């Protein structure tokens, strides 16, 4: 497994372990679980396709191609992003933090990106996992990596849809220590275009 630093330069596992031992142990443990026979599912019309997961490579700071990003965002149904595909690469390149998960064949399995100043606030803007790899620990690995990198600030935010089919995502965020903003006697307001 190769890992990249925030400059996109390849580093080996030993160097990565020395930079962040806790994150490296979590990542290696998750990958070991996937190697032990995890499977992923994707809906393909009316049939279900199972994909045997292989070791994942997590890279930091390497922006996927526009085509890969369109494929990933389309696969999860985030059409607000794919309506303007030319924005995807600059959006990812301008992130405070970006990590991508790829399978052994190089297929983009998921990504996480954060915005913010890295000092007082971080916002986990996107956490996407391709349907073929969902519910296999990929999202948790990516979120752990992001929180390790940009989570030691005063405020860390993450948002998701409240649709019933999204409860597993909400459960993941709750398990990682996130709470509904109302629990802090606050309200979050948004203005969307």
């Amino acid at each position: 497994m190769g890992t990249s630093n925030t400059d996109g330069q390849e580093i080996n596992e030993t160097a990565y372990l020395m930079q962040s031992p806790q994150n490296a142990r979590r990542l290696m443990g998750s990958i070991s679980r996937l190697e032990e026979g995890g499977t992923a599912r994707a809906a393909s019309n009316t049939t279900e396709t199972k994909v045997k997961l292989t070791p994942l490579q997590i890279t930091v700071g390497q922006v996927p191609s526009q085509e890969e990003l369109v494929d990933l965002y389309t696969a999860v149904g985030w059409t607000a992003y794919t309506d303007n595909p030319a924005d995807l690469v600059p959006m990812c390149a301008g992130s405070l933090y970006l990590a991508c998960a790829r399978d052994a064949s190089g297929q983009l399995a998921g990504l996480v990106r954060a915005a913010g100043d890295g000092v007082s606030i971080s916002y986990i803007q996107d956490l996407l996992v391709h349907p073929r790899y969902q519910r296999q620990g990929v999202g948790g690995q990516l979120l752990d990596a992001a929180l390790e990198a940009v989570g030691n600030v005063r405020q860390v935010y993450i948002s998701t849809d409240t649709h019933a089919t999204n409860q597993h995502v909400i459960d993941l965020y709750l398990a990682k220590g996130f709470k509904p903003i109302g629990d802090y006697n606050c309200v979050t307001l948004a203005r969307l275009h």
Side-chain angles (χ1 to χ4, degrees), residues 129-145:
V129 177
H130 195 286
R132 286 190 302 257
Y133 302 99
Q134 288 179 0
R135 298 183 187 210
Q136 302 299 313
V138 178
Q141 289 178 57
L142 288 168
L143 185 55
D144 285 345

Side-chain angles (χ1 to χ4, degrees), residues 8 47 54 92 104 106-107 123 125 131 133-134 138 142 146 167 177 184 187:
T47 62
T54 56
C92 288
Q107 171 77 31
Y123 188 89
Q125 176 63 36
Y133 302 99
Q134 288 179 0
V138 178
L142 288 168
Q167 188 59 48
Y184 296 106
V187 63

Side-chain angles (χ1 to χ4, degrees), residues 54-130:
T54 56
L56 293 176
Q57 178 182 21
I58 306 292
T59 58
V60 176
Q62 294 180 355
V63 178
S65 71
Q66 180 177 317
E67 180 181 357
E68 290 177 308
L69 292 169
V70 168
D71 288 346
L72 179 60
Y73 281 83
T74 299
V76 297
W78 290 14
T79 58
Y81 287 87
T82 58
D83 287 345
N84 298 302
D87 292 345
L88 291 170
V89 168
M91 173 184 83
C92 288
S95 298
L96 173 66
Y97 177 82
L98 173 71
C100 296
R102 294 183 180 275
D103 69 13
S105 70
Q107 171 77 31
L108 184 62
L111 71 78
V112 63
R113 70 183 194 94
D117 59 23
V119 177
S120 67
I121 188 169
S122 297
Y123 188 89
I124 308 298
Q125 176 63 36
D126 296 341
L127 176 59
L128 301 87
V129 177
H130 195 286

Side-chain angles (χ1 to χ4, degrees), residues 2-12 15-16 19-20 23 58-63 92-100 112 114 145-146 148-150:
T3 306
S4 298
N5 66 16
T6 55
D7 297 324
Q9 299 170 328
E10 187 85 4
I11 59 176
N12 66 34
Y16 185 66
Q19 287 180 353
S20 177
N23 190 40
I58 306 292
T59 58
V60 176
Q62 294 180 355
V63 178
C92 288
S95 298
L96 173 66
Y97 177 82
L98 173 71
C100 296
V112 63
E148 182 76 23
V150 300

